[in-house]
Amino acid sequence: HARELEELQLQATAIPAPPWGEAARSQWLMARFAELSLAEVQQDELGNVFGILPGADANAPFIALSAHIDTVFPAGAAITVRRDAGKLYGPGISDNGSGIVALLALAGAMKAASLLNRAPVLFIGNVGEEGEGDLRGMRHIFQQPRWSANIASLVVLDGAGTDTIIAEGLGSRRYEITVRGHGGHSWSDFGVANPIVALARVIDRFTRTPVPATPKTTYNIGIISGGTSVNSIPESATMRVDTRSASVEELDRLEHALYDAVDAVIPELTGRKKQELLTAEVRMIGNRPAADLPAESQLLKAIRAVDAQLSNTARIQRASTDANIPLSLGREAIAIGAGGAGGGAHTIHEWYDPVGRDLGLKRILLLTLALAGVAEE
């Protein structure tokens, strides 16, 4: 079925799924779940898609497999997909076209082989994983009693490869800081408080904050905008800041440092006159919790056993994925790749090489059966 899976991957990737705009791809995935005759195919109010492969034990909790269906590319971005020299090309073709196809491949294989799984398997295509989606799809799922109370383990299928096990959730917090002022002409109003200068001073203060190598902690100013022309004092300026760490305490410390920098700079540049008045607003626009899967967990033991069976070498890694949400709730979850190889993620030049996809799918299948169990005929 290799060629069939490639066609599905090209189809899925060709459907735009920007942040907060995944509806068309949700509908496509629902139709594929229905074609596979999964039970209770449905879509929730956010656009998350569900399908169930019933188990012999109807009362057993679900073993859940998920793949995010959104991409980082904004609405209106040109989406062109193609096959060239055995590779597939297109924005999002690997992240997460490969994960979406793995869901469909696994459901199809289990149905075709008439495997009698003991626990039911829940297939999820979720929205809102990338960027400002802030894991909103997975957050919503684990806020719904039916799913949250009945998912025993979650295996997130994200991207290509078979060489990693994401069992450590990287925490991240993102902020938008906007400084507003009176504005004016660069010549006649010289001396009016400048919001861009204020942000520059905030950046200077904040980036002097020391961060430890262990646990690794980072910050980044990724976007800065404002003003209308080179000869105008802007009325406002905005920047966006990303902080990441394995430690909640370090994230807290960076948050305090950012607020302290803003609180120190604004009074420095604000005078008594109306033209010298500056205000600042700090808004959190993302908050992904940090959490780890315990080394003694059954899920971690199962994936290690599967890798041993397949002679596959994989290392534990820390990253920010949909698994962060259940991990932060004390639930068992990991994220793994769907096999094959990929590159150019989050660019229009993204590619996927299906060579090695079979190993990834075998890995997912064995893990699913190890968790769900196989009932006697």
Side-chain angles (χ1 to χ4, degrees), residues 218-237:
T218 65
Y219 53 75
N220 182 61
I221 289 82
I223 297 175
I224 185 165
S225 61
T228 56
S229 69
V230 69
N231 61 332
S232 300
I233 299 169
E235 294 182 42
S236 68

Side-chain angles (χ1 to χ4, degrees), residues 27-260:
Q27 290 295 320
W28 179 87
L29 186 59
M30 275 190 68
R32 303 292 80 73
F33 280 0
E35 287 175 356
L36 290 165
S37 299
L38 294 179
E40 299 185 58
V41 174
Q42 60 188 280
Q43 177 180 320
D44 68 16
E45 57 269 33
L46 266 67
N48 297 312
V49 178
F50 306 87
I52 297 172
L53 187 62
D57 182 356
N59 296 317
F62 294 114
I63 301 303
L65 300 172
S66 75
H68 72 84
I69 64 174
D70 59 317
T71 71
V72 299
F73 304 98
I79 305 293
T80 302
V81 300
R82 74 183 197 279
R83 180 188 286 106
D84 186 11
K87 290 184 179 179
L88 309 180
Y89 293 85
I93 195 77
S94 180
D95 180 18
N96 192 29
S98 59
I100 295 169
V101 167
L103 281 183
L104 300 174
L106 191 73
M110 292 181 71
K111 295 278 287 189
S114 299
L115 289 171
L116 193 59
N117 43 295
R118 185 189 63 80
V121 180
L122 174 64
F123 294 88
I124 304 171
N126 63 280
V127 301
E129 190 272 347
E130 296 284 12
E132 291 176 26
D134 200 32
L135 310 183
R136 66 187 178 93
M138 196 57 67
R139 286 182 201 273
H140 184 73
I141 290 167
F142 276 89
Q143 289 169 352
Q144 308 310 305
R146 185 193 178 183
W147 306 126
S148 181
N150 293 294
I151 293 177
S153 298
L154 173 68
V155 179
V156 175
L157 309 179
D158 197 346
T162 57
D163 59 345
T164 59
I165 303 166
I166 307 301
E168 300 172 345
L170 175 63
S172 71
R173 296 180 191 172
R174 294 169 178 172
Y175 308 87
E176 182 180 82
I177 297 96
T178 300
V179 178
R180 296 180 175 87
H182 187 269
H185 191 279
S186 63
W187 173 260
S188 59
D189 295 313
F190 181 73
V192 168
N194 189 316
I196 289 179
V197 171
L199 282 187
R201 293 195 183 182
V202 169
I203 292 170
D204 179 59
R205 282 178 177 267
F206 175 66
T207 55
R208 294 173 187 266
T209 306
V211 293
T214 306
K216 184 177 179 180
T217 301
T218 65
Y219 53 75
N220 182 61
I221 289 82
I223 297 175
I224 185 165
S225 61
T228 56
S229 69
V230 69
N231 61 332
S232 300
I233 299 169
E235 294 182 42
S236 68
T238 298
M239 70 175 181
R240 291 189 171 184
V241 181
D242 173 87
T243 63
R244 299 186 179 220
S245 181
S247 164
V248 174
E249 290 75 17
E250 288 299 323
L251 289 173
D252 287 342
R253 189 173 64 83
L254 284 178
E255 181 173 295
H256 290 312
L258 183 60
Y259 275 90
D260 288 347

